[in-house]
Amino acid sequence: MLFSPLCLSSRRPLAAALCLSLLPATIHAREVVITTTTHGIPHILAPNLEAAGYGAGYAYAAAGNACLLADALVTVRGERSLVFGPEAQVNLVAGRVSNLVSDSFFRAYLDDARLTIADPDADALIRGYAAGYNRFLAETDPQALPEACRGAAWVTPATPADLRRLLGERAIQAGGGRFVEAIATAAPPDTHPVPQAATDPLAPPPTLASNGYALGGDLTADGGGLLLGNPHFPWEGGLRFFALHVTVPGVIDVMGATLAPIPLPAIGFNARLAWTHTVSTSQRFVLHELRLVPGDPTAYLVDGVAEPMVPRDIAIPVRGTDGRVTTVTRRLWESRFGAVLAMPARGLTWTADTAWAITDPERSDSRLVAQWLRLGQAGNVAEGQAALIATRGTPWINTLMADAAGVAGYADLTGVPPVTDARAQACAPSARAAAIAAAARITILAGDRAACAVPGLMPADQMPVRNSRRLFMNANDSYWLSDPATPLTGLPAILGPTDVPQRLRTRMSARQLGELTGRPGPAIAPSDLEAMLFSERNLAADLALDAVLTSCAGQPDLAEACAVLARWDRTSAPDARGAGLFRQLWRRLGADPGRNGGFWSVPFDPAHPFDTPRAPDAHDKATADLLRGALRQAVADLRAAGLALDAPLSAFQQRGGIALRGGDDAEGMLDNLGLGPLGPGGFDTTAPYGTSWVQLVRWRRLADGTTAPVARGLLTYGQSADPSSPLHTDQTRLYAAGRLFDLPFTAEQIAADPGLTQQVLDLPD
C-alpha cells in the first residue's frame, strides 16, 4: 500500500480517483501519514518501524484512549498508592486488589533489566510508540483530555522502559499476574501479613476467552483459507482492543487489532496470511513446595543444603487522605524457584515447615512485540508457525491461522515451563501438595532438589503444532480437540487435559461447524461463518430445556414461566422471548452444570466429546426438584427486577440506550457476552466482557498474480474509550444489529472509503 505524499497531505476527504492516479509513489523519510477510514480505523504509512510505532502511539491516544494508557502506566510503575491512595482498588486480571498490594507486586515482580527488548526492530517500534503517545500529550491541552483523566497530573509522558513494563504485565497475566495478592502479602509465620481478599488466583480469569476458526481450502467455497477470529475480552479498561493498519513499504503491511502498547496487530491479517488467538489451557507456571530449615522459616533445603530466601524491601510512596506523601515499606521474598507466595484459602500456607514458590517463565518475556512483527511479516501458515517457534512470544494464547493458498494451522506455543510427565513424576511433591495440585488442576513440584528447577520453556517439538487443508477450532478448551477430526494426544499433561468434558461453547462450535461441513451443496463461504457467529443459538437450551418443561408441567405456580419457555425459539437473539428467563434459570443452576457431572442422564463419553454429557433426567426426583427450584428462583428474580417473564432479551441487556446481543459462556453461546448479575431493569452492563474484535478474512487473486485479503470486521465497543466520542458506540450499534463491515486494506479500498480523513505527522529529529 503506497500513497503519494500529495494525496495524503490533506486533512479533508479525498476523491479516490485523485489518490489512485498518483500511484505508485514513495513516502517521505521524515513523515508518518495516518489515513483514517470509517469507524476511526487508522491506516499508518511510515518510512521505518520506529516511525510506524510513532504513528500507532499517536493514533491510539488521539482516538480517545490516552487515559487508558496513562492509568496502566501508573499501575506498572507501582504508583497507584501515590496517585489514588493506598486503600482504593484496581481491577487486574486476577481480580480487584488494593493499590498498595498492586504497587508492592509490580515494583517487586517487574524487573526492568529482565524486560530489555533484544530484537532491534521491536525495540524501535516501542521507542516510536512512546514518542508518538508523548507527542499527543504535548500538543493536547490537559483540559481537553477525556473526562476520565481531564487535567490529571498523573497523565505524564511515557518512556520506553514504561512501555516495556506494561508489555511485561501483559505477558504474566496467566502466570505471576494471577498471584498478585498471594505474592505481595506472603509473609513468614509469626509475622503480621496483610490480609488477603477473597480472590482465587487458581481459578481461570473469567473475562478472558475467545473463539477461533481456521478453515483450509478443502472446505471453502474458493479453495483458499478462511479465518474467523472472535476474542472475548473486557469492554472496559486497558484490555480494550484497538483496530489499526500498519504499513512500512518493503517491511510489513498488516491490519487487525491490538492491545496497548503493542504497535502492531496482535490479531490480524496481511496479503497472504490471517491469524487469531484464543486463551490457552496450558499451565504457564509451576509451583514448588519448599522444605524449610527447622527453626528458620526464611531458609529452605536444596539437596540437603540450607539456602536463604532473598528478601526484597519495596519502598512505596503513599498519599494520605490529608495529601501528605509518606513511604511504606513492604518485604517480599524470592527463592531460586521464583517468588514466594501464600494462599491459605487453597492450603498453600507459609508455615514453619513449608513455603511455596512460583516459577513463571513469562516474567522475563520481552518478546511480545517481536512476535507480532514476525507474524505480520509471514506469508503463509508454515512461515507463521516458524515465526512462533523461533520467537516464542505468545505468552498465554493459542494461535489459529489460515493462508491464501488454503492451508489452515493451529499451535499452542505458549510460555509453558518444560515439565514433561517424567519430570513431574520424578519431582512429585508431598502427598498433601499433590492433593492441592489435583484439586486446583495445576502442577506442583518438589522444591528440595536442584534437579526439579524448570528454567526456560517447553521445547516446541513437545507442544501441539499442526496444519492441514481442513479445519481447526478452539473455544478455550485444551488443544485436544482443536482438530476435531483427529484429536491430538500424547503430549505432556501440563499442556492441558484430554478425555474430559468440554465447555458448551466448544461443543456448540463443533455442532455448528459440523452442520456446515456435513451439508450437501456449496462449500463454506465467509457469510456462513458470519451467520454462525450471530445465529445466537443456545446449546444449554438445546440440551436441557425439554427437561425443564417436563419438570414444570403441572406446577400451578410455574404455569406462566413454563408457557413462556415452551414458546421460546431457544436462541438468545435480541427479540427472543424467554431467553432472559432461561439465562437466569441456568445461572441459578450454577455455571455449566454439565462440566461437573451428576446432572445429565447420558454421561460424558470421551469417544463422543461433542455430544456428551446430555439430557437431564426430569423423571429423577432430585433432578426435577433442582430444575423446578431454579425456575422458581429465576421467576422471582425477574419479577424483582421489574421484567416480564416473556420480555425480549433486548429488554434485559441495554447499554447506553443500545440493546446488546449475545449471551453467557455457560449457555454455549458463540457470541459470548458476559454481563453482571440481574438487577432492576436487567443484567448489569457496567463492565461487559465477550465478543470484542471480530475479523473474518479470505483472499482474492489480483491480476498480477498476487493476493489481497477480503476482510470484514467489527470492534463491538468502538475505537474510543471516551464516552463523549462518536467512536465510542458507533460499532456497538452495528454489533446490536449483528453486522460486520468491510475492512479496507488495499490502496483502492482505502481511497474509496467515504469517511476518509488524513493527517501527516512530521517525525522528530
Side-chain angles (χ1 to χ4, degrees), residues 373-614:
L373 172 61
R374 304 309 169 204
L375 265 180
Q377 293 172 322
N380 54 47
V381 166
E383 291 180 6
Q385 291 176 339
L388 293 174
I389 292 170
T391 310
R392 298 299 298 274
T394 51
W396 36 266
I397 42 181
N398 300 293
T399 304
L400 295 99
M401 304 179 187
D403 65 28
V407 178
Y410 165 80
D412 180 348
L413 287 162
T414 49
V416 179
V419 181
T420 62
D421 292 350
R423 170 70 67 86
Q425 183 175 4
C427 292
S430 69
R432 175 175 170 272
I436 294 171
R441 296 183 180 179
I442 62 171
T443 300
I444 301 179
L445 302 180
D448 60 354
R449 282 165 279 162
C452 294
V454 283
L457 298 174
M458 182 75 77
D461 61 6
Q462 297 183 48
M463 302 191 74
V465 181
R466 182 175 286 186
N467 58 47
S468 78
R469 292 187 59 84
R470 290 190 61 78
L471 166 67
F472 295 99
M473 68 172 204
N474 189 270
N476 307 121
D477 279 303
S478 78
Y479 65 88
W480 174 38
L481 299 171
S482 290
D483 181 346
T486 310
L488 286 75
T489 58
L491 298 173
I494 196 172
L495 296 177
T498 62
D499 297 326
V500 296
Q502 301 293 283
R503 65 178 67 240
L504 294 191
R505 186 158 42 83
T506 296
R507 293 174 62 181
M508 179 57 92
S509 297
R511 174 178 291 200
Q512 293 198 251
L513 288 168
E515 291 168 358
L516 291 175
T517 58
R519 69 186 179 182
I524 299 173
S527 58
D528 294 319
L529 294 189
E530 186 170 342
M532 181 183 85
L533 175 61
F534 291 131
S535 67
E536 311 301 351
R537 287 169 56 179
N538 188 312
L539 183 57
D542 288 346
L543 296 174
L545 185 56
D546 288 342
V548 173
L549 295 176
T550 298
S551 71
C552 67
Q555 303 289 312
D557 63 324
L558 294 177
E560 181 185 1
C562 226
V564 169
L565 292 176
R567 293 192 298 268
W568 176 39
D569 67 1
R570 306 190 184 200
T571 76
S572 290
D575 59 353
R577 297 179 181 272
L581 174 61
F582 181 81
R583 180 180 303 165
Q584 191 62 13
L585 158 70
W586 200 245
R587 287 185 174 190
R588 283 294 190 176
L589 285 170
D592 198 353
R595 290 176 67 86
N596 300 321
F599 180 76
W600 309 101
S601 63
V602 179
F604 172 68
D605 180 355
H608 302 282
F610 300 129
D611 298 323
T612 60
R614 65 176 185 269

Side-chain angles (χ1 to χ4, degrees), residues 656-690:
I658 301 172
L660 303 178
R661 63 193 306 114
D664 282 358
D665 176 82
E667 294 177 288
M669 297 287 300
L670 300 189
D671 183 14
N672 178 17
L673 185 68
L675 302 176
L678 184 66
F683 297 108
D684 183 358
T685 60
T686 304
Y689 74 93

